[in-house]
Amino acid sequence: EFIARTSNIINEVKASMIINNIVYHRTDEYFDAKTIFGNDQNMLRSDTVLKKHIYDFINTDSKTEQEFARNLELAAEVVVYAKLPRGFYISTPTGKYNPDWAIVLDKDKVKHIYFIAETKGSDKESDLRTVEQLKIHCATEHFKAISGTEVKFDVIHNYGKLLEVAQLK
């Protein structure tokens, strides 16, 4: 047990040292939406039919995500959104990172139109595990590198925080 815990601590410190100097570069590689957003055949069809999601139904990982999706459906600012599949990830020194949501907001109502969100039950960074914090830091750098200011990435705990970050006009 001691060796396992010590190893985890050493790996977290090594990763944080690497991450402080991480740089992402834009490449010409791209993925077709069909390869990323495959329709999940195993999805339970018990929820109501969604209007703004790219599919009629959605699988969520938590009650926080369920509530967030409900708010996205009802929001006038949301044009379309998608729960990002596990196949969509960002490579980081601490492993693969899979953000939760891609959201397109109404350009007449907000400053940031394209949004990638990670939903967490708390808005306190101290509540996140070190590995999660490191992966989120890498995702922030990744989206800055590939889109400049066009795509906004942030950790949010509810729809109100999304609007705050997206900056209503």
Side-chain angles (χ1 to χ4, degrees):
E1 181 68 22
F2 172 77
I3 292 172
R5 287 185 181 195
T6 303
S7 175
N8 285 342
I9 292 169
I10 290 170
N11 287 335
E12 285 181 5
V13 171
K14 283 180 8 186
S16 66
M17 292 174 76
I18 292 169
I19 285 172
N20 288 333
N21 298 308
I22 195 160
V23 177
Y24 286 93
H25 299 283
R26 190 177 188 143
T27 66
D28 292 332
E29 184 178 11
Y30 70 94
F31 296 91
D32 185 359
K34 292 176 186 174
T35 61
I36 295 175
F37 296 106
N39 200 356
D40 186 356
Q41 301 298 324
N42 300 320
M43 191 175 309
L44 298 174
R45 303 281 196 250
S46 60
D47 292 332
T48 58
V49 175
L50 302 172
K51 303 287 186 227
K52 295 182 180 180
H53 192 271
I54 61 169
Y55 294 121
D56 293 339
F57 302 94
I58 188 174
N59 272 341
T60 55
D61 299 331
S62 66
K63 290 195 183 286
T64 300
E65 286 187 2
Q66 287 174 350
E67 181 65 26
F68 188 70
R70 206 170 300 126
N71 287 327
L72 291 174
E73 277 295 314
L74 298 173
E77 300 85 7
V78 175
V79 176
V80 66
Y81 69 99
K83 173 80 169 98
L84 292 170
R86 297 206 190 292
F88 178 85
Y89 62 86
I90 298 163
S91 295
T92 76
T94 56
K96 295 177 180 177
Y97 173 67
N98 174 243
D100 291 325
W101 306 93
I103 306 162
V104 178
L105 300 168
D106 187 332
K107 67 180 179 190
D108 295 329
K109 297 180 181 178
V110 297
K111 181 178 177 184
H112 298 287
I113 301 168
Y114 305 109
F115 203 91
I116 303 293
E118 173 68 31
T119 46
K120 295 291 181 191
S122 171
D123 61 348
K124 295 179 185 174
E125 189 173 306
S126 60
D127 290 342
L128 299 175
R129 294 177 303 147
T130 304
V131 171
E132 285 180 299
Q133 290 175 6
L134 296 173
K135 287 181 179 182
I136 289 168
H137 171 77
C138 288
T140 302
E141 295 303 313
H142 169 81
F143 286 109
K144 278 185 204 173
I146 67 167
S147 73
T149 59
E150 189 175 0
V151 175
K152 180 73 174 161
F153 169 79
D154 212 327
V155 176
I156 55 178
H157 63 283
N158 62 34
Y159 183 73
K161 176 70 174 178
L162 171 69
L163 290 183
E164 180 184 312
V165 175
Q167 299 176 353
L168 285 173
K169 287 185 178 178

